[in-house]
Structure formats: structure tokens, C-alpha cells
Amino acid sequence: MISNIYILTLFPDVINKYLDESILGRAQKNNKVSFHVHNIRDKSTNKHFKVDDIPFGGSTGMVMMLEPIILLLEEIGIQDKHVVLTSPKGARLNNDKIKTLKEIKELVIIAGHYEGIDSRINNYVDEEISIGDYVLTGGELPALVITDSLVRCIPSVLGNTDSLLEESFEDDLLDWDVYTRPRVFDAKEVPDVLFSGNHKKIEHWKQKSAIINTLIDRPSVFAKHRFTEEQKIILKDYLKED
Ligand code: SAM
């Protein structure tokens, strides 16, 4: 299980602000996980603390130099650690990848910036991960996305561990629709069944809501789901409805 996450960044304050708050902040305080945020600029060998330079071959923007990052990796010691580079070119992050990563004890995440890092960084990383097919200004948000999705998987970090099993993508289904007070808002009512006190009926409604949400919103996830006999009946009944 994940226990130490090292983040290499040019913007440690951005990272620390998020890690100090809410569930992640509590997880660290309660010793469920330790965060180690390192400023790449601290390892600049340049008297002006430069960490980037112009790209060979010409192009726009600047490229992050290898040396400060490698010096940091050497200081941290990566022999027993899994090193992830955040990159739009990487494998797309998903629930399966999070399940694999959470079993790693020591994880290092490198956040790039500018036009990215000198490509020879690939000799020092285990894998590149992307959080989607779009380009961000830096790897800070991807590093936080990876960290957040891993830390909430650590047992007892979330108040109710059952909620992990009921969440979207578990078992290839999306979550059911959720509601809270008030019962009526802007003439929109919470489904009556949720007040029935009948646990069997409520469970049936939740399963149906999850199945319909997945079918309509994410057919590719729906296609992977293995239906129980009860769920098959729920789906057939739904398809028969007008
Ligand atoms: N020139 C690069 C390209 O076109 O692929 C984009 C570099 S981007 C402006 C700077 C850094 O942000 C990257 O090195 C990476 O660390 C991070 N980054 C940007 N978009 C990302 C994404 N979708 N997933 C993961 N990291 C991303």
C-alpha cells in the first residue's frame, strides 16, 4: 500500500496548499501517508537558479533541464521507488491504473513545466502518465490528481470504507444519483422510494439508477460490466418501460 509520495515540482506552494487541506491533510496528520514535496529549482546548478533552456533544433518555449531533476532523484534515492513522469504523452490515468499504483509503497511524481522536460528524463522514469488528452501549463495538477486518487484508497482515510466499493468505475458501473435536503428544490423532487424505509426497494432503485447512468453516460464502461442475475432483471424491466 502507498505510504510515501514524493513530488518534484517548480511550484511546491501550489502542491502543499492542496495537500495540507481536508482529507489529504488529515491522512498525513494521522500518519496514513507521508508527502515529500521538493522544489526542483533548489537543485539548479546555475547562479541565477535557472532550470530551463532553449530547445535544441529551435522551437518556441523553453525546455526543463535534466540536471536539477536528476540531482533531486539521486538525493531521494530511487532504487526502491516507482518514478512517474506527468506528461500528455503518457498512458491515460484510470481506475485500473490507480489500483496498480496504490499497491506501490514509494512513489515519485515529477511535474514538468514550460515545453516539458529534456526527453532523456525517460531513462530515469518507470512510466509516463497523462490525466487526459489536453495540455496543461504544468504537471502540478496531474501530480495532485494522482496523489488524491491514491490517498483516498488507503484503508480508513475515508470515514466510510464501504463508499470506495460503491463508487463510480468500481465493478464497471457509475454511481447512482444521490440527493440530500431539501426534499423539494425548484419544484424538483427527490424520488419517493428513498423515503420509503424499505431497504430492499431502495437497494433496487440504487442498482437501477447506477445501471441507467452507466448505459446512458458511459456505454464503454457499461459494455465491460458483468451483470448479476438481479441486475439483468432490472435492466430488462427498464428496457420494457415506455
Ligand atoms: N510540449 C508538451 C506537449 O505538447 O506535449 C506540453 C508540455 S506542458 C505545457 C508542461 C508540463 O505539464 C508537462 O511536461 C507535464 O508535466 C504537464 N502536463 C501538461 N498536460 C498534461 C496532461 N494532460 N497530463 C499529464 N501531465 C500534463
Side-chain angles (χ1 to χ4, degrees), residues 45-62:
T45 50
N46 178 284
K47 68 174 176 183
H48 301 296
F49 297 103
K50 248 178 82 137
V51 287
D52 57 326
D53 212 328
I54 50 170
F56 284 135
S59 178
T60 52
M62 301 294 271

Side-chain angles (χ1 to χ4, degrees), residues 8-20:
L8 279 52
T9 170
L10 288 174
F11 299 93
D13 291 350
V14 172
I15 302 278
N16 281 324
K17 272 212 172 77
Y18 190 83
L19 297 183
D20 283 348

Side-chain angles (χ1 to χ4, degrees), residues 204 208 232-242:
H204 183 277
K208 183 175 171 183
K232 283 181 193 168
I233 295 168
I234 293 173
L235 179 61
K236 279 182 191 159
D237 288 347
Y238 168 68
L239 294 173
K240 274 189 233 149
E241 285 174 17
D242 290 332

Side-chain angles (χ1 to χ4, degrees), residues 16-72:
N16 281 324
K17 272 212 172 77
Y18 190 83
L19 297 183
D20 283 348
E21 293 287 330
S22 186
I23 294 173
L24 271 63
R26 262 200 319 273
Q28 171 148 259
K29 265 190 211 114
N30 294 336
N31 299 316
K32 304 284 177 206
V33 65
S34 294
F35 304 124
H36 313 268
V37 182
H38 296 269
N39 191 342
I40 295 170
R41 205 174 289 281
D42 288 347
K43 290 290 171 204
S44 169
T45 50
N46 178 284
K47 68 174 176 183
H48 301 296
F49 297 103
K50 248 178 82 137
V51 287
D52 57 326
D53 212 328
I54 50 170
F56 284 135
S59 178
T60 52
M62 301 294 271
V63 174
M64 282 177 71
M65 294 185 286
L66 270 184
E67 203 179 4
I69 299 172
I70 304 309
L71 286 173
L72 253 184

Side-chain angles (χ1 to χ4, degrees), residues 160-176:
N160 180 359
T161 23
D162 281 353
S163 58
L164 277 179
L165 301 173
E166 293 174 347
E167 266 169 332
S168 291
F169 306 109
E170 272 312 310
D171 204 16
D172 295 318
L173 276 184
L174 300 186
D175 203 359
W176 53 78

